[in-house]
Amino acid sequence: MRNEHVIATLSPMMKRLFFLVALVACSTLSASAQRLTAFSVGHTNILDTYLSQEKFSGTELGFLSQGVSMRDSSHVSRELTHHASMALAGTRGNDHSLLSALYNFRFGWHYNWFFPAQRVRLRVGGVGDLTVGGVYNSRNSNNPAQARLAFSLDPSACLSWDINLGHQLFTLSYAAAIPFIGLAFSPNYGQSYYEIFSRGNYDHNLVFISPFSGPQLHQMLTFDMHICRTTLTVGYIGDILQMKANDLKYHQYSHGILIGWKY
C-alpha cells in the first residue's frame, strides 16, 4: 500500500471515531443526574524526547466537568467526563520554556453495587478515553512542537463511603481509570511534521498503546461536604501519562489540588 493511501484511510476512520464520541456525549448529557464542576492547580513533570532530552517541571491548571446518570430501576450508570489542563514548565536554565495543553474526554458505563449497612457504593466498568493536545518548546527552532492524539479503552472503578459526623453528611470517594489498549499518534525518531503532513511520508505514525508501552493512570480522591442542595468537593487529582514508541519516550506526571461543587 502506498503511503498516500494509508494517510487517506486514516481520515474517515478518525471522522467515524469523533462522530461516535459526539453521539455518546449527547445521549449522556440528556440523561445526566449529577454533575461535578471543579478547578485544579498543581505540579507537573514532562519529558518528551522528540523535543528535548531534558525533563521540564512547572505549574498546571485544570478544569473538570463530570456527569453521572442512572435510571431508578437500573444498576448501570453512564459517565461523561471532560478534563482540560494547561501547564507552563521549564528547566533550571530555561524557565517557562515549555507550554503544554491537553483535553481528555472519557465516556463509559459502570455496574453499581450498593451496601446500605456499610454505607458503601461501588461502581465498576469501562470507558472510552480520547486525548488531544500538544506541547510547544519555545527554545527549539527546529521541530518546536509535538502533537498529542490517542484513544484507548480503560477499565475503571469508583468506591464511595458515606460518613456522618454529628448532623453533617460527608462522602469520601476514590476513582481510577487505567488505559488498557488503544491507538496513538507518534512521529518516528528524526521524522519531521513536514514529512508527515506535507509530503505524506507515513512511517509507523499510528502505534498501539498498552501497559507494556507505558502504564498510565487517571485517579481522583475527593471529600464531599453536603450543604443544603449543593455539595462542596475538595480533593486530589492525578494523571500519570507515559508512552514509549518509535524510539521516543514521553511522560507527563501531574498532581493537583481539586476544588469544586456537585449539583
Side-chain angles (χ1 to χ4, degrees), residues 7 35 56 73 87 127-128 135-136 145 160 175 189 226-227 238 240 257:
I7 297 295
R35 179 168 296 282
F56 295 77
S73 60
V127 296
V135 181
Y136 174 73
S160 300
Y189 182 83
H226 306 280
I227 305 170
I240 297 176
I257 298 172

Side-chain angles (χ1 to χ4, degrees), residues 245-263:
N246 294 336
D247 295 321
L248 298 171
K249 291 182 180 180
Y250 157 74
H251 78 228
Q252 183 162 348
Y253 307 141
S254 302
H255 306 278
I257 298 172
L258 184 83
I259 183 167
W261 62 94
K262 290 180 180 178
Y263 54 92

Side-chain angles (χ1 to χ4, degrees), residues 164-186:
N164 273 333
L165 296 178
H167 297 287
Q168 187 65 48
L169 175 65
F170 301 91
T171 302
L172 182 65
S173 300
Y174 176 75
I178 302 174
F180 181 67
I181 189 169
L183 289 172
F185 167 81
S186 173

